[in-house]
Amino acid sequence: MTLPIDPSQIDPEDIGEQQATLEMSHEDAIEHVRDVFTDAGFGVPVEFSPSEMLNEKIDADRDPYYVLGACNPEVADRALDATDNKLGALMACNVVIWEEEPEQQRVYHVSIMRIARLVGMAPHNEEMADIVADTGEIVDEAFQNL
């Protein structure tokens, strides 16, 4: 299989990569990120700790790592229509929080809307461009408030 893109040539901006470092405990960071994204218009229908699961199941000895599955309902509805429901395979828009060291947490996000366009799941048209721009603005607002 040949990828439609060369992963080594992807600029972080191409995938809407956003990162922030928070100086607080892991639990406080999870609560803070959840609150900030909720205030920006996201719901969080799914959340889980891969580190807890892996540590329990295979004794992975992973540092704290948490996933918030954030979703803006209005934009998600538009994106499903624009992609003939294909974008649902990438939902929800994950925001991950991992502990880099005690009292230092990394918050990380990539745009599923941009990734869907890169891999051909979403069209390169004005409707999808508007959806990408709208989600980008909402995520930017959230990251500015972290």
Side-chain angles (χ1 to χ4, degrees):
M1 175 178 97
T2 304
L3 291 175
I5 54 173
D6 178 354
S8 68
Q9 299 300 309
I10 294 175
D11 184 297
E13 193 171 302
D14 293 339
I15 58 172
E17 183 180 82
Q18 298 249 15
Q19 298 185 63
T21 301
L22 302 177
E23 302 292 331
M24 59 182 68
S25 74
H26 189 68
E27 293 75 22
D28 288 346
I30 292 167
E31 186 174 326
H32 179 66
V33 172
R34 184 187 305 113
D35 289 347
V36 166
F37 272 78
T38 299
D39 289 348
F42 288 93
V44 182
V46 178
E47 54 185 282
F48 62 100
S49 172
S51 60
E52 286 181 14
M53 188 250 329
L54 293 170
N55 291 345
E56 178 184 313
K57 299 288 184 183
I58 62 170
D59 197 26
D61 194 31
R62 290 199 148 299
D63 290 335
Y65 189 101
Y66 203 81
V67 177
L68 294 172
C71 183
N72 178 286
E74 179 185 301
V75 176
D77 185 51
R78 290 169 45 210
L80 285 171
D81 286 344
T83 63
D84 296 325
N85 292 321
K86 293 175 186 170
L87 196 73
L90 298 176
M91 288 182 174
C93 302
N94 289 330
V95 180
V96 296
I97 304 135
W98 68 82
E99 186 172 78
E100 294 186 316
E101 57 186 65
E103 299 299 315
Q104 183 174 316
Q105 314 304 317
R106 173 70 58 161
V107 181
Y108 183 82
H109 170 77
V110 294
S111 168
I112 64 168
M113 305 301 177
R114 289 177 182 260
I115 291 170
R117 290 176 81 188
L118 282 173
V119 300
M121 288 176 70
H124 285 274
N125 60 23
E126 189 174 322
E127 179 182 19
M128 197 65 200
D130 289 344
I131 291 168
V132 168
D134 290 346
T135 57
E137 288 175 15
I138 297 167
V139 171
D140 286 347
E141 175 187 334
F143 268 84
Q144 289 171 7
N145 291 320
L146 285 177

